[in-house]
Amino acid sequence: MDRARNPYTPNAGAPPRFLAGRRAEVDDFRVLLQRLQRGYTEQSVIVTGLRGVGKTVLLGQYRRIAEEEEWVAVEAEVTKATPFGPQIATLARRALLQVSPRARWGERARIAAGIVKSFSLTVQPDGSLAAGLDVEPDEGRADTGSLAEDLPDVFQALGEAAQERGKGVVFLLDEVQFLGRADLEALIGAVHRTVQRQLPITFAGAGLPQLPGLAGEAKSYAERLFTFPVIGELPPAAATEALVEPALAEGVEYESAAVDHIVGYTEGYPYFIQEFGRAAWGVAEGLGITAADARVAQDVVEAELDESFFRTRVQRSSAEELRYMRAMAELGPQAHKAADVADVLGRASEQVAPLRARLIHKGLLYTPRYGYAKFTVPQFDRFLRRQVPLGPGVADDDAAR
């Protein structure tokens, strides 16, 4: 079939042609903004889930909803390499200038500009983050150098400026699990301040499943301040829609056996559905996609996932870390006790505990409950069993490449 018409989008964060199975999350976010606009308080949202389930896509939907509701949306991805102070200062400056251009600043906007400038100069004294804020910094506010003290002042000032203009502001942050504890504590405290003041400003984040626990450790009231919707694999009906609807829009139909094969293989994970749909479209030569096409496409899909989606995670692992994950894979995809993994390795739990901790820190494992760990990447166990031998060869450097 025509490759230029292939409707599938297996790219990081790329919106699918048909968003299936996320209606509740989309509707809840719209209600959140509408309630805040009317002066009610409402919990902010942090979406959690494994890799490839569509968290970034959902954040993109939140941005579009914010724009439809005439809110200001500023977005960023958290990384370990980017200091959070300058990053949030940049977003705050951007939000303020979108709330109101400088020529139309009212009293609250001018106050907010001074506070944002003060904060920007505190986190980056060279002034590069304060461009366009032609006001004096507001001495005594957002200038202590403590993010936990200063960020609530910034959020409050932005919320009051937005309220003055009849607008709202939403901060959208991806990969929130990479925030340090002090940064996460400051962010939660800032959101708390806006709730206390009933301001039209909120936060929506996304990240791995350990986020509720991290937030609770940072601030004990986080569970009352946020909702933590968990998104995962799509149920069969929604997975079928995600696969079939994009093709139907191009006038192409699937055989039912092809649908069953693809939905079964992908287990309903949205990224895998996009990858399999693209491959099936690419190998099909008729006017539709058959079960035979799906079987041929499976080899293409596995090769593509192994070389991109999965292998990039392995490349960030040491030989010993890879050995630990391969032992976990031998036990299956579910959560496992550290002692059981240690048994596969023929070692004591205390000996491998540092490996487990490093893999959690890297975001390759998470702890769904005390004493257990699970892969953050769906079907990672399949990949490891396909590509990494169990035994002494696991430690070879070549295995990690």
Side-chain angles (χ1 to χ4, degrees), residues 28-47:
D28 288 348
F29 185 72
R30 191 181 297 276
V31 170
L32 162 63
L33 298 188
Q34 291 174 344
R35 283 181 57 79
L36 290 176
Q37 192 70 48
R38 288 166 171 78
Y40 297 106
T41 60
E42 190 59 79
Q43 291 171 299
S44 295
V45 58
I46 298 179
V47 179

Side-chain angles (χ1 to χ4, degrees), residues 277-315:
R278 180 173 70 172
W281 182 284
V283 303
E285 296 180 352
L287 299 178
I289 297 175
T290 67
D293 294 330
R295 288 192 292 272
V296 172
Q298 181 172 321
D299 292 336
V300 177
V301 171
E302 286 189 355
E304 182 64 31
L305 291 175
D306 286 358
E307 289 303 314
S308 57
F309 186 73
F310 293 126
R311 197 172 300 279
T312 54
R313 273 109 184 144
V314 169
Q315 289 171 338

